[in-house]
Amino acid sequence: AAQLVAEILEGEEEELFAVPAKYHGLLVGKRGMTVKELQRESGAFISLVKLPEPAMLIKGTNRQRDKAWGITQKLLDELPGVLAEIRAMQGGGAAREGDFA
C-alpha cells in the first residue's frame, strides 16, 4: 500500500525514447507478447510511434519508465544477434550487414 501511495504522489509522466522503426516489430513481438511482457515487468504503459519520429512512448512513474527503457535497451542489444543465430540454424544463411544495425 505504501508503494502505491508513493507512486500516486510521484505522478505519471510520458517520455519518448528514440527507437528506429525497423525494431518496432521486434519490440511488439508476435501478437504483442513482447510489449505486453515489457509492460508487465515495468508497470509502465508502452506504445511504439512512428511520427514525428520513430520512438517508444513510455508512460509511468520515473521508476517505471527507467525500468521499461532499461529492459528495452537490453532487448535491442541482444535480440538482433539471437535472431541472426536462429536464421543461420534454419538455413537462412548469415545475416547480411545492415540487417539489424
Side-chain angles (χ1 to χ4, degrees), residues 46-92:
I46 298 168
S47 66
L48 294 154
V49 298
K50 293 190 178 183
L51 298 174
E53 295 178 17
M56 175 182 273
L57 175 67
I58 304 175
K59 182 178 180 179
T61 64
N62 281 332
R63 183 182 318 166
Q64 290 169 331
R65 291 191 317 271
D66 288 347
K67 186 167 187 177
W69 183 239
I71 295 169
T72 300
Q73 288 179 305
K74 186 170 183 165
L75 283 172
L76 291 175
D77 288 345
E78 295 177 7
L79 268 179
V82 170
L83 292 174
E85 287 178 28
I86 291 170
R87 286 186 183 143
M89 291 186 328
Q90 293 176 340

Side-chain angles (χ1 to χ4, degrees), residues 29-40:
K30 190 172 188 174
R31 296 187 179 186
M33 295 301 290
T34 305
V35 74
K36 287 176 189 174
E37 182 64 16
L38 272 168
Q39 290 179 133
R40 189 187 68 73

Side-chain angles (χ1 to χ4, degrees), residues 6-55:
E7 287 177 2
I8 291 170
L9 292 175
E10 182 179 342
E12 292 188 350
E13 294 183 18
E14 293 181 354
E15 194 169 355
L16 277 174
F17 296 88
V19 174
K22 65 183 172 183
Y23 293 123
H24 287 195
L26 285 173
L27 293 171
V28 170
K30 190 172 188 174
R31 296 187 179 186
M33 295 301 290
T34 305
V35 74
K36 287 176 189 174
E37 182 64 16
L38 272 168
Q39 290 179 133
R40 189 187 68 73
E41 282 289 320
S42 67
F45 172 79
I46 298 168
S47 66
L48 294 154
V49 298
K50 293 190 178 183
L51 298 174
E53 295 178 17

